[in-house]
Amino acid sequence: MVELNWHDYLVMVSFVASIAGIVLLSDNRNSQPTDARTLSEEILMKMSFTYWIVYCISFFGLKLHLPEDSWLLLSLKLTTVLSYLLTASSILSLPLQRMAVRQVED
């Protein structure tokens, strides 16, 4: 059995919250975005949630007892790092995209 600490529980809660976020964003399929700005913001939010779900899955995959020289362990570590960085870049690009749209409008 794997012992879990407070960080593991926090990742579990954020995993469930990310799934709920994708469901809520996908729920309004009937109302299409009116402009490109709204569509790009929605896509960035979905990307952030999706990358975070991949991070959570690979994070808990690292909790499995795998041999140190396993190719699966190495790929899980790489996936964890890349999905974390992609999540951060998606989150950071949302306000940057809003500022760029605001400058074009002015």
Side-chain angles (χ1 to χ4, degrees):
M1 215 53 183
V2 177
E3 289 188 31
L4 301 176
N5 57 18
W6 65 271
H7 181 258
D8 299 334
Y9 291 114
L10 186 66
V11 172
M12 275 191 237
V13 169
S14 69
F15 175 72
V16 172
S18 294
I19 292 174
I22 287 182
V23 168
L24 288 174
L25 283 173
S26 300
D27 191 32
N28 52 357
R29 289 184 201 163
N30 298 337
S31 62
Q32 294 295 328
T34 55
D35 57 350
R37 178 180 150 213
T38 308
L39 179 64
S40 63
E41 287 178 5
E42 201 171 292
I43 289 172
L44 281 171
M45 291 292 288
K46 285 181 184 178
M47 285 172 43
S48 300
F49 287 135
T50 305
Y51 290 143
W52 190 252
I53 289 172
V54 171
Y55 170 79
C56 293
I57 291 170
S58 60
F59 175 80
F60 284 113
L62 289 174
K63 296 285 183 182
L64 299 173
H65 296 290
L66 298 172
E68 281 298 315
D69 57 349
S70 172
W71 62 271
L72 183 59
L73 182 66
L74 182 63
S75 65
L76 280 173
K77 287 180 181 179
L78 185 63
T79 302
T80 303
V81 169
L82 287 176
S83 61
Y84 188 83
L85 293 173
L86 285 169
T87 302
S89 66
S90 296
I91 291 170
L92 289 175
S93 62
L94 186 61
L96 293 174
Q97 188 265 344
R98 285 184 181 176
M99 286 190 315
V101 169
R102 186 176 301 151
Q103 287 179 354
V104 169
E105 288 175 355
D106 292 342

